[in-house]
Amino acid sequence: METPQRFSLFRYAAPHMFYPLAGKMAPWFLAIAGVLTLIGLYLGFFVAPTDAVQGEVYRVIFIHVPAAWMSMFVYLVMAFWSAVGVVFNTRLSAMMAQALAPTGAMFCFVALWTGALWGRPTWGAYWVWDARLTSQLLLLFLYFGFIALTRAIEDPRRADRAGAILSLVGALNVPVIYFSVKWWNTLHQGASVSLTKAPSMATTMLWSMLVMALAAWAYTIAVTLWRVRSLILERERHTEWVGEVLDAAGERA
Amino acid sequence: MLSVFFEVLRRDLLLAWRNRADVMVTLAFFTIVACLFPFGVGAEPNLLRTIAPGVLWVAALLATLLSLHRLFAQDHTDGVLEQLLLSPEPAVLWVLAKVLAHWLTTAVPLIAAAPLLALLFDMEQSATGVLILSLALGTPILSLLGAVGAALTLGLRGGGMLLALLVLPLFVPILIFGAGAVDAHLSGTGAAAHLLLLGGGSLAALALAPWACAAALRIAVE
């Protein structure tokens, strides 16, 4: 019996339907990510002019800003999939949330690390207890908590649902962290740096940053799809179709 | 329906009373952590006066964390938790009663002990008042959010460390506002904004956390 066309999207909520689709899509997104990264880095490192105030060191923003954006966005997407999982009781959405978490944590770390490398020559310190920095660090801890909790629970059903609750509670806390730390900072007169305030950023700079952000998106999608494929295989290992997939893979090898 | 609330509250308070040592350990831990700081940073009175609100808040936070595993662990091992979940009474009600009992047995002693510790740090009297108020308004959030964490890690191996990892990032805003209230009072800007935010946070946690906690408990005993 054929499923009517308008339900085709929901068809892929079933892990065994999504698995081949993810396998087809992931290489494309990885290719897109690679091409965009090359373009973005070329624009950023060779075409964009030297910053009048900061010199060459500003070029770290082409990695730093997309990574920071992505790290926050990925947490919200994670919370979104968790909510979908709780409401519709779909297994795939919990797997998506768990597949996203390591990439979010990675981008969080990259944003912190590139920020530290930039901060040393610019501020004279690798780390400052500034609002932005502190909220980013807390976000990293939230990612670690989510990953640790979902890995510590052996029963996948419980892991899915406990992870969903944690990511939803954490998502409520993200704006609270952001604003409270901001508040705290104004009291302490710390160094406050906002990249958006940069006076009339050159267009090439903006473009290369946007291209890098798109590359980060494509990379996240590709890696998440790959990771979700592994999760599906692991969770569905008792089913026949996984056996067939693995046999086919074994024959090819 | 309310009878289940009071019954669970009475039972938990009675259990806490019979195991008074647990409460005393938490209180001793709070005191010792606070007393470690003068050894660590040096006994310069001005410095101690400056860091006192933060130190006492961090100590209260760690003491609460230490006590959280007790919240459901015993009921989980002896099967009471399952009975409660199977009962037709709404889970949110007795979860709330358990959290209230936890708050009464851990946070209230800490709040009562705080003025004595404030003396050790030579805090001003009015600042001590603000500290007490900020603790009274902020610690319910610690108990409520901590209960969600305790329910999520119930019965896991290495649950205690995991609980710290889950809950501490969520506690940071409370720490900032709690210690910030005293700083704001001392700097002359007035602590009202911080205290109102803490109170608002408590109400929000009161409205949301018991549901999340009940859901997490259901998952844990499944």
Side-chain angles (χ1 to χ4, degrees):
Chain A
M1 184 97 168
E2 276 294 303
T3 331
Q5 194 54 46
R6 62 203 161 95
F7 289 123
S8 60
L9 206 60
F10 289 101
R11 218 161 52 131
Y12 291 111
H16 72 279
M17 296 301 294
F18 190 70
Y19 180 83
L21 179 73
K24 268 188 227 121
M25 286 186 339
W28 286 104
F29 277 107
L30 196 68
I32 294 171
V35 171
L36 287 178
T37 309
L38 286 179
I39 296 173
L41 286 181
Y42 176 74
L43 283 177
F45 285 129
F46 297 107
V47 180
T50 307
D51 188 84
V53 189
Q54 295 181 15
E56 299 294 341
V57 77
Y58 90 93
R59 286 180 200 273
V60 80
I61 64 163
F62 300 121
I63 297 167
H64 178 71
V65 174
W69 282 345
M70 213 58 213
S71 65
M72 283 181 268
F73 184 66
V74 166
Y75 198 92
L76 294 180
V77 175
M78 223 170 82
F80 165 76
W81 282 118
S82 298
V84 169
V86 169
V87 174
F88 296 109
N89 204 12
T90 45
R91 284 171 299 161
L92 189 61
S93 27
M95 290 187 219
M96 283 300 279
Q98 279 164 43
L100 278 164
T103 309
M106 189 275 283
F107 275 123
C108 219
F109 183 76
V110 167
L112 286 168
W113 188 240
T114 52
L117 291 180
W118 174 86
R120 181 67 186 140
T122 318
W123 292 344
Y126 285 109
W127 183 260
V128 176
W129 288 95
D130 167 79
R132 293 266 167 122
L133 278 70
T134 322
S135 55
Q136 192 72 15
L137 186 65
L138 285 178
L139 189 65
L140 183 65
F141 291 152
L142 287 177
Y143 275 120
F144 283 165
F146 178 85
I147 296 170
L149 181 70
T150 46
R151 299 295 184 276
I153 303 174
E154 269 157 35
D155 172 27
R157 231 174 97 81
R158 184 179 167 190
D160 286 354
R161 295 170 68 188
I165 290 180
L166 182 69
S167 67
L168 287 173
V169 173
L172 284 178
N173 206 50
V174 167
V176 178
I177 288 176
Y178 185 79
F179 288 115
S180 66
V181 181
K182 219 171 166 177
W183 200 305
W184 175 49
N185 189 54
T186 52
L187 280 172
H188 281 245
Q189 297 290 319
S192 64
V193 160
S194 161
L195 287 165
T196 50
K197 273 199 312 223
S200 62
M201 187 187 264
T203 12
T204 34
M205 289 187 197
L206 191 65
W207 271 109
S208 41
M209 214 160 81
L210 289 178
V211 170
M212 286 302 284
L214 287 177
W217 272 58
Y219 169 81
T220 308
I221 295 172
V223 173
T224 306
L225 288 177
W226 246 299
R227 212 173 275 130
V228 100
R229 266 163 69 91
S230 317
L231 279 173
I232 290 174
L233 283 187
E234 202 185 325
R235 297 281 181 87
E236 306 276 301
R237 58 179 177 270
H238 56 275
T239 58
E240 237 170 73
W241 72 268
V242 169
E244 282 163 20
V245 165
L246 292 180
D247 284 344
E251 271 164 34
R252 254 184 285 130
Chain B
M1 210 161 74
L2 271 180
S3 68
V4 72
F5 177 86
F6 289 111
E7 207 43 51
V8 171
L9 180 65
R10 198 186 67 84
R11 173 179 168 276
D12 274 28
L13 287 178
L14 193 66
L15 281 173
W17 179 249
R18 301 257 162 90
N19 292 316
R20 281 180 295 259
D22 281 353
V23 177
M24 294 317 286
V25 165
T26 311
L27 204 54
F29 182 80
F30 174 61
T31 316
I32 288 170
V33 169
C35 290
L36 284 179
F37 280 84
F39 295 116
V41 301
E44 213 271 307
N46 272 326
L47 177 67
L48 288 183
R49 215 173 290 136
T50 328
I51 63 169
V55 167
L56 292 182
W57 255 100
V58 169
L61 209 137
L62 292 176
T64 311
L65 185 69
L66 197 70
S67 68
L68 278 174
H69 73 98
R70 279 198 270 121
L71 200 51
F72 301 113
Q74 205 189 342
D75 288 348
H76 184 54
T77 40
D78 61 20
V80 172
L81 202 61
E82 268 176 57
Q83 297 302 320
L84 279 171
L85 279 167
L86 285 173
S87 76
E89 310 292 343
V92 177
L93 264 187
W94 56 260
V95 164
L96 203 57
K98 292 189 83 66
V99 176
L100 179 62
H102 174 262
W103 185 75
L104 288 173
T105 52
T106 52
V108 169
L110 297 187
I111 296 168
L116 291 175
L117 288 172
L119 281 181
L120 293 181
F121 286 85
D122 194 27
M123 269 176 78
E124 268 178 47
Q125 219 152 42
S126 63
T128 310
V130 175
L131 177 74
I132 304 300
L133 211 55
S134 73
L135 281 171
L137 287 170
T139 44
I141 317 180
L142 301 184
S143 289
L144 285 159
L145 279 180
V148 180
L152 284 174
T153 54
L154 196 58
L156 296 182
R157 92 195 113 68
M161 293 303 283
L162 195 55
L163 179 60
L165 186 60
L166 298 188
V167 167
L168 285 180
L170 301 177
F171 281 180
V172 169
I174 309 158
L175 175 67
I176 290 168
F177 287 125
V182 186
D183 284 338
H185 170 78
L186 289 174
S187 67
T189 46
H194 289 80
L195 294 177
L196 286 172
L197 274 165
L198 281 178
S202 275
L203 291 178
L206 192 64
L208 297 172
W211 302 91
C213 189
L217 284 175
R218 281 217 180 80
I219 298 165
V221 298
E222 222 168 49

